[in-house]
Amino acid sequence: MEVEFKALLDDLDVLEKSLSDPAPIHKLRSHVENLATLSKCNPHRRSKVKELSSEVVDSNPYSRLMALQRMGIVENYERIREFSVAIVGIGGVGSVAAEMLTRCGIGRLLLYDYDTVELANMNRLFFRPDQVGMTKTDAAVQTLAEINPDVVLESFTMNITTVQGFETFTSSLTNKSFCPSKEGSGVDLVLSCVDNYEARMAVNQACNELRQTWMESGVSEDAVSGHIQLLVPGETACFACAPPLVVASGIDERTLKREGVCAASLPTTMGVVAGLLVQNSLKFLLNFGEVSPYLGYNSLKDFFPTMKMRPNPQCSNVACLERQKEYMLAKPERDAAAKAKMEADASIAIDEGPLHDDNEWNISVVDDENEKDATKAASSSDTLPEGLTRELPDADEYEKEIAIASGSGETEEEDDLEDLKKQLEALNAA
Amino acid sequence: MEVEFKALLDDLDVLEKSLSDPAPIHKLRSHVENLATLSKCNPHRRSKVKELSSEVVDSNPYSRLMALQRMGIVENYERIREFSVAIVGIGGVGSVAAEMLTRCGIGRLLLYDYDTVELANMNRLFFRPDQVGMTKTDAAVQTLAEINPDVVLESFTMNITTVQGFETFTSSLTNKSFCPSKEGSGVDLVLSCVDNYEARMAVNQACNELRQTWMESGVSEDAVSGHIQLLVPGETACFACAPPLVVASGIDERTLKREGVCAASLPTTMGVVAGLLVQNSLKFLLNFGEVSPYLGYNSLKDFFPTMKMRPNPQCSNVACLERQKEYMLAKPERDAAAKAKMEADASIAIDEGPLHDDNEWNISVVDDENEKDATKAASSSDTLPEGLTRELPDADEYEKEIAIASGSGETEEEDDLEDLKKQLEALNAA
């Protein structure tokens, strides 16, 4: 439109020179200038910020996030700007996950999808009817850049299950130009938000090869259940180690989507799964709370099963077997590090112990210097502002009881392959 | 802008008449018309639809929702267009709840808020930086109308805790013009998505007076936990029956938000709570799954406590006591209806019994006429398309074990007031 306005004003200049009375042209010009201003009017497109501020003013887009530090939930929220997250599949779950990370001020997002926006996608959050026909990656970049210009967005409009696509995928994950000093591959986490087995296997292959931690997510075809899962190559089961809990049995899954058959979907289930996925990602990246190894969501019953899956020593994926071997070989090192940490923590605890052991009011005195550490170490219920009490009961007590009573409870026992198989069979049979 | 373009074209007409050579004016006019078209350009604003179609084409915004019927999850999805839902508080939870219901094609939404959009709200989903300065109700109507023009949107920019505001609130809830034939008040459900005790008590008062079922939601000040709760006047505890689990103790809650202190918030926690709230609303309205009486979300542990709260016979709210009395008086009627339903279900079960009792393959034969009922009555795992197996284990088995082991489990026992008090004390002490 700017070009058009420029041409219009030039024409008016020419016309003005040919007229004896320039007054009507002046009037026209003021109309046109007015319109040009109106067309650009976007009064509050927000500008980039250099540093995250914790100042509590209405104009600070990060005040409510930096408050996580003041409340003792996260030790260093600003680190979020150093992280790169790759999201594969920008559909009902991936798009919402991308928006959540963007609003949290993540450093860099890599987005992968080959699909276009359709009206049939409007029953999930994120895409708008005016974006119909755009590629999902382009539409996502358009929306996300407007929401938070501080996030570096890179989009890849391609299918990662093709040979060429897979190559571009792995090379984009290993590009370290965003944060060259960091260890590991070029990204901190890969989120799989795809809707088919083939794409999940491609993500699994790439992450096993690159020693890349990733999280898987999924929503059932009937729209009422879903799950998220953490996969650490060599340490947890990879996607090929155990059969997925939803499988196309004796049928090519591609035929399931043909002939007027379409999966149901709901913005609620997909929004919840995206929320649980990004919450788990934030806990993983910013080091707070407990990262869930697997979390299911059965919306009909509001039932949320958890479990841990160890790698399968007979996994069909060669890269997975290599990672398992590496993980086993590094065991003495891990044990030594864990022991050293425990001893260090114990000595800190002694240093910071209360002056009086018998202390009716549970008051403890700590050095100012150590206060920050103490806040972090203390249960977060101690860090609420004066006048507030915590809403939910302590989960520890309940979890212990549940873990004992229920086979699905998270346990610290060493499960061997037979146990794992039995668990999966029981789950599939139920 | 349309008015401006009209004025510009009129001026050109006047100028044309005063000139001997109209050619430059023709050129100008074509420029202006071009610009007017560009300014209106919105190629895919979607038009309204008359009926929800289940046709599987990319251009059908309801295909994935109508698939819930085909998959046996919801018996009649189209009924969603008859429902009115009121959302009080269009913040981090309320705005996302409104968007989810809008994308689901809810009949009518009533939105209440008095606040304006700020950059400090950008760490939650929904509002955009270009909406800063607008009232939250206006910004929400702008966004929602574009997403789904089929939804009737009514917004109220006001504070329901003032005398005038409360009056407008209750009278808007009782306006039955949208669906005059329906029983009850003018809305089917009220969702409370406010962030303070005073506003919750106002919603509670209105709903107790109007016999209005509502759902409450909340997110903790440290952003990492939340809850939803179903409140049916007379049948469940009202908001005044039991102390809330987060309270300002010995301090005016308004002072908590002063002097540069602000609550933390996360798009993840708020998105999950909104998702759980709207999922519970859909289950309630469309009659599928189990409606949760209370569901907590502790994100640090991914722990989701549930419980049931019965009304307090010593409740301070007079309207609540009246509803309790009505509920008690209607008990014989309810028991008779439940008995009649059980007998009817049993006779259907006998009619539809398998021809051969001893049936190795679990094959049953039903009349075509009764097929629809049978599908509904059957466990939904029977209704998945061929080739798919269910992702999550049956929750029933786990729930039973959990309910036995854990005090927080949902139980069917009659809890008296003493039990309730003890439970709450235990929860607050934890």
Side-chain angles (χ1 to χ4, degrees):
Chain A
M1 276 181 92
E2 259 176 78
V3 178
E4 289 282 326
F5 275 117
K6 179 79 174 45
L8 188 57
L9 288 169
D10 288 349
D11 285 349
L12 280 176
D13 286 345
V14 173
L15 189 63
E16 182 174 10
K17 279 168 200 159
S18 73
L19 292 181
S20 51
D21 176 16
I25 301 295
H26 290 169
K27 197 179 162 196
L28 280 172
R29 191 180 284 122
S30 104
H31 267 309
V32 172
E33 282 165 357
N34 211 349
L35 277 166
T37 311
L38 273 175
S39 78
K40 274 191 255 174
C41 189
N42 204 334
H44 291 284
R45 168 152 291 181
R46 99 157 168 76
S47 47
K48 292 191 185 195
V49 302
K50 279 215 157 167
E51 279 178 21
L52 304 197
S53 153
S54 56
E55 197 191 356
V56 182
V57 287
D58 288 341
S59 58
N60 178 5
Y62 294 105
S63 59
R64 310 297 170 91
L65 294 164
M66 293 296 284
L68 290 165
Q69 261 180 233
R70 195 178 39 74
M71 291 196 148
I73 300 293
V74 177
E75 197 178 355
N76 181 359
Y77 190 84
E78 286 159 276
R79 281 186 64 207
I80 195 139
R81 298 190 76 164
E82 292 166 20
F83 295 121
S84 290
V85 175
I87 304 183
V88 188
I90 312 300
V93 172
S95 64
V96 180
E99 181 172 347
M100 286 174 171
L101 285 167
T102 296
R103 290 185 182 265
C104 283
I106 194 82
R108 172 172 163 253
L109 276 185
L110 294 83
L111 308 172
Y112 305 81
D113 207 303
Y114 61 91
D115 211 1
T116 53
V117 179
E118 306 290 353
L119 272 185
N121 306 138
M122 292 306 132
N123 68 321
R124 280 94 85 180
L125 298 180
F126 193 75
F127 293 117
R128 303 184 308 260
D130 65 282
Q131 294 175 320
V132 165
M134 291 175 79
T135 62
K136 288 185 176 174
T137 43
D138 283 354
V141 168
Q142 181 190 59
T143 301
L144 299 175
E146 200 185 308
I147 288 172
N148 190 346
D150 298 327
V151 178
V152 176
L153 298 167
E154 292 174 24
S155 68
F156 301 84
T157 311
M158 51 158 223
N159 182 348
I160 65 157
T161 67
T162 64
V163 174
Q164 177 61 49
F166 186 78
E167 214 163 277
T168 309
F169 179 49
T170 52
S171 77
S172 64
L173 294 180
T174 48
N175 178 348
K176 298 190 65 166
S177 56
F178 179 71
C179 206
S181 60
K182 226 190 249 183
E183 275 183 45
S185 81
V187 302
D188 297 279
L189 189 63
V190 174
L191 301 180
S192 165
C193 304
V194 298
D195 63 356
N196 65 86
Y197 183 72
E198 205 179 351
R200 284 185 176 92
M201 287 301 271
V203 176
N204 188 59
Q205 183 63 38
C207 291
N208 275 344
E209 288 177 10
L210 300 174
R211 300 173 176 77
Q212 176 65 55
T213 297
W214 62 292
M215 289 187 199
E216 140 72 4
S217 67
V219 171
S220 64
E221 296 265 314
D222 63 3
V224 288
S225 58
H227 73 275
I228 63 163
Q229 185 179 347
L230 171 74
L231 297 102
V232 187
E235 185 177 339
T236 70
C238 89
F239 198 72
C241 278
L245 299 180
V246 168
V247 286
S249 58
I251 222 173
D252 179 344
E253 69 173 331
R254 273 165 296 194
T255 66
L256 286 171
K257 296 192 178 171
R258 281 189 330 191
E259 292 170 33
V261 176
C262 87
S265 58
L266 280 167
T268 45
T269 310
M270 291 194 155
V272 169
V273 170
L276 298 175
L277 179 69
V278 176
Q279 196 85 287
N280 217 33
S281 304
L282 293 175
K283 290 192 283 183
F284 172 79
L285 295 170
L286 296 171
N287 191 27
F288 69 97
E290 288 173 17
V291 180
S292 283
Y294 176 100
L295 179 61
Y297 169 42
N298 170 332
S299 76
L300 295 182
K301 304 259 184 182
D302 283 332
F303 170 61
F304 300 82
T306 58
M307 59 175 158
K308 253 187 190 167
M309 289 199 282
R310 293 186 184 280
N312 177 355
Q314 274 106 45
C315 180
S316 60
N317 187 291
V318 177
C320 173
L321 296 179
E322 285 168 13
R323 296 298 86 77
Q324 289 187 44
K325 206 176 292 170
E326 287 170 7
Y327 186 76
M328 291 295 280
L329 289 172
K331 190 174 186 301
E333 208 178 306
R334 270 198 310 280
D335 289 348
K339 200 182 158 202
K341 191 180 173 300
M342 249 175 60
E343 284 168 0
D345 288 353
S347 78
I348 287 171
I350 290 164
D351 287 353
E352 287 179 357
L355 290 177
H356 308 279
D357 261 357
D358 191 18
N359 185 330
E360 191 181 357
W361 300 98
N362 283 321
I363 296 164
S364 67
V365 180
V366 290
D367 282 358
D368 281 357
E369 249 181 311
N370 289 325
E371 199 161 13
K372 209 173 161 198
D373 287 342
T375 306
K376 167 87 180 144
S379 137
S380 57
S381 66
D382 300 337
T383 59
L384 282 184
E386 193 188 349
L388 284 183
T389 52
R390 190 157 296 272
E391 178 185 33
L392 290 175
D394 190 336
D396 290 326
E397 290 309 309
Y398 293 103
E399 273 188 354
K400 271 181 214 152
E401 291 170 35
I402 289 166
I404 293 161
S406 150
S408 75
E410 180 187 314
T411 62
E412 290 299 326
E413 290 156 36
E414 292 281 326
D415 297 320
D416 64 11
L417 182 65
E418 279 311 304
D419 277 355
L420 179 68
K421 274 191 186 160
K422 273 184 208 149
Q423 276 179 36
L424 278 166
E425 276 160 18
L427 287 172
N428 280 321
Chain B
M1 274 181 94
E2 258 176 81
V3 176
E4 289 282 326
F5 275 117
K6 179 79 174 47
L8 189 56
L9 287 169
D10 287 350
D11 285 350
L12 281 175
D13 286 346
V14 173
L15 190 62
E16 182 174 9
K17 279 168 200 159
S18 73
L19 292 181
S20 51
D21 175 16
I25 301 295
H26 290 171
K27 197 179 164 197
L28 281 171
R29 189 180 285 123
S30 103
H31 267 309
V32 173
E33 282 165 356
N34 210 350
L35 276 165
T37 312
L38 274 175
S39 78
K40 274 191 256 178
C41 188
N42 203 334
H44 290 284
R45 169 151 291 182
R46 100 156 167 76
S47 48
K48 292 191 184 193
V49 302
K50 278 215 160 169
E51 278 178 22
L52 303 197
S53 152
S54 56
E55 196 191 357
V56 182
V57 287
D58 288 342
S59 57
N60 177 6
Y62 294 106
S63 59
R64 309 299 170 90
L65 294 164
M66 293 296 284
L68 290 165
Q69 262 180 233
R70 195 178 39 75
M71 292 196 146
I73 300 292
V74 177
E75 197 178 354
N76 180 359
Y77 190 84
E78 286 159 276
R79 280 186 65 207
I80 195 141
R81 297 191 78 163
E82 293 165 18
F83 296 120
S84 291
V85 175
I87 304 183
V88 187
I90 312 301
V93 173
S95 64
V96 180
E99 180 172 347
M100 287 174 170
L101 285 167
T102 296
R103 290 184 182 265
C104 284
I106 194 83
R108 172 171 163 254
L109 275 186
L110 293 84
L111 308 172
Y112 306 81
D113 207 303
Y114 61 91
D115 211 0
T116 52
V117 179
E118 305 289 355
L119 272 185
N121 305 138
M122 293 305 132
N123 69 321
R124 280 95 85 179
L125 298 179
F126 193 75
F127 292 116
R128 304 184 308 260
D130 65 281
Q131 294 176 319
V132 165
M134 291 175 79
T135 63
K136 288 185 176 174
T137 42
D138 283 354
V141 168
Q142 180 189 59
T143 300
L144 300 175
E146 200 184 308
I147 289 172
N148 189 346
D150 298 328
V151 178
V152 176
L153 298 167
E154 292 174 24
S155 68
F156 301 84
T157 312
M158 52 159 221
N159 182 348
I160 64 157
T161 67
T162 64
V163 174
Q164 177 61 50
F166 186 77
E167 214 163 277
T168 309
F169 179 49
T170 53
S171 77
S172 64
L173 293 180
T174 48
N175 179 348
K176 298 191 65 166
S177 56
F178 179 71
C179 207
S181 60
K182 226 191 248 183
E183 276 183 44
S185 81
V187 302
D188 297 279
L189 188 63
V190 174
L191 302 181
S192 165
C193 304
V194 298
D195 64 356
N196 65 85
Y197 182 72
E198 206 179 348
R200 285 184 175 93
M201 288 301 271
V203 176
N204 188 59
Q205 182 64 38
C207 292
N208 276 343
E209 287 177 10
L210 301 174
R211 299 174 178 77
Q212 177 64 56
T213 296
W214 62 291
M215 289 188 199
E216 140 72 3
S217 68
V219 170
S220 64
E221 297 265 314
D222 63 2
V224 288
S225 58
H227 73 276
I228 63 162
Q229 185 180 346
L230 171 73
L231 297 101
V232 187
E235 186 176 341
T236 70
C238 89
F239 197 73
C241 278
L245 299 181
V246 168
V247 286
S249 59
I251 221 173
D252 179 343
E253 70 174 330
R254 274 164 295 194
T255 67
L256 287 170
K257 297 193 176 169
R258 281 190 330 191
E259 292 170 33
V261 176
C262 86
S265 58
L266 280 167
T268 44
T269 310
M270 291 194 156
V272 169
V273 169
L276 297 175
L277 179 68
V278 176
Q279 197 85 287
N280 217 34
S281 304
L282 293 175
K283 291 192 283 184
F284 172 79
L285 295 170
L286 296 171
N287 191 28
F288 68 98
E290 288 173 17
V291 180
S292 283
Y294 176 99
L295 179 62
Y297 169 42
N298 170 332
S299 76
L300 295 181
K301 303 259 185 182
D302 283 332
F303 170 60
F304 300 82
T306 58
M307 59 174 157
K308 252 186 191 169
M309 289 199 282
R310 293 185 184 279
N312 177 355
Q314 273 107 45
C315 180
S316 60
N317 187 293
V318 177
C320 173
L321 296 179
E322 285 168 14
R323 296 297 87 77
Q324 289 188 44
K325 205 176 294 172
E326 286 170 8
Y327 186 75
M328 291 294 279
L329 288 172
K331 191 174 185 300
E333 207 179 307
R334 270 197 311 281
D335 289 348
K339 200 181 158 201
K341 190 179 173 299
M342 250 175 59
E343 284 169 359
D345 287 353
S347 77
I348 288 170
I350 290 165
D351 287 352
E352 288 178 358
L355 290 178
H356 307 279
D357 260 356
D358 191 17
N359 184 332
E360 191 181 357
W361 301 98
N362 283 321
I363 295 165
S364 68
V365 180
V366 290
D367 282 359
D368 281 356
E369 249 180 309
N370 290 324
E371 199 161 12
K372 210 174 161 197
D373 287 343
T375 307
K376 168 88 180 140
S379 138
S380 57
S381 65
D382 300 338
T383 58
L384 282 184
E386 195 187 348
L388 284 184
T389 51
R390 190 158 297 272
E391 176 184 35
L392 289 176
D394 191 335
D396 290 327
E397 291 309 309
Y398 293 103
E399 272 188 355
K400 270 180 216 153
E401 292 170 35
I402 289 166
I404 292 162
S406 149
S408 75
E410 180 188 313
T411 61
E412 292 298 327
E413 291 156 37
E414 292 281 326
D415 297 320
D416 65 10
L417 181 64
E418 279 311 304
D419 276 357
L420 180 68
K421 274 191 186 161
K422 273 183 207 150
Q423 275 179 38
L424 279 165
E425 276 160 19
L427 288 170
N428 279 321

